[in-house]
Amino acid sequence: MRSEERSVLQSDLFLAAIMLGTGLFSGGSEAVRAVPVVGLTTAAFIAVSVYLAEHDVVPGVYPEVATVAAFLVTVGVGVGFVLTLPASAAVVGAAALSGGGAGVAVYRLVFGVFLPVPAYRLAKDEDPEATVETERDH
C-alpha cells in the first residue's frame, strides 16, 4: 500500500470512527437495535454516494454533483424514516449517524485495503489547497 493510499485510509477511517462513536454515544446501541433498517439503509446510501464521487459513474456530470444528488436522496430517506417510524427523531438520527460511519468504513476498507483507492480520490487528497485556489480562480 502506497503512503498516499494509507493517508486516505487513515483519514476516512478516522471520520468513520467519529461518526460511529457519536451515533452510538448519542443514541446508544438502542438506536441500532431499535431501527436497524435506518443504519443499514444509511450505510448503503453513503457508500453509494462515495462510490459515485470517486468512480465518475455518471459521464458528463461532475462527480461532486452526483454525490450531492445522492446525499440529498439520503437525507430525504432519513426524513422519511423520522416521519414514518415510531422511534424518536433522536434515535433515528443516532442510527443514521452510526450507519453513515459504517458505510464510510466498509467502503474505504473495500477501496483502500482490498482494492486500490481510486485515482480521483488520490488526486483530490494530494493538495486540497491548490484545488480550492484553482476553483476560486475560475
Side-chain angles (χ1 to χ4, degrees):
M1 179 182 300
R2 299 181 316 194
S3 63
E4 301 88 13
E5 289 180 329
R6 187 173 297 118
S7 172
V8 169
L9 183 65
Q10 289 172 341
S11 65
D12 283 1
L13 290 179
F14 181 70
L15 171 67
I18 290 172
M19 292 171 70
L20 273 165
T22 304
L24 291 175
F25 180 75
S26 62
S29 59
E30 172 197 350
V32 178
R33 285 192 317 267
V35 283
V37 67
V38 174
L40 293 172
T41 303
T42 305
F45 274 104
I46 292 293
V48 167
S49 296
V50 178
Y51 183 87
L52 287 173
E54 292 186 353
H55 291 87
D56 198 17
V57 173
V58 185
V61 175
Y62 289 110
E64 294 84 2
V65 173
T67 304
V68 168
F71 179 74
L72 292 175
V73 169
T74 303
V75 170
V77 169
V79 170
F81 280 139
V82 168
L83 296 175
T84 59
L85 292 175
S88 70
V91 169
V92 172
L97 190 56
S98 297
V104 170
V106 169
Y107 176 84
R108 188 49 64 208
L109 287 173
V110 170
F111 290 100
V113 174
F114 300 110
L115 299 171
V117 173
Y120 178 83
R121 174 60 195 271
L122 292 174
K124 285 290 190 182
D125 209 48
E126 283 178 3
D127 192 7
E129 290 180 12
T131 304
V132 171
E133 288 173 8
T134 302
E135 289 174 358
R136 243 189 257 148
D137 293 338
H138 286 86

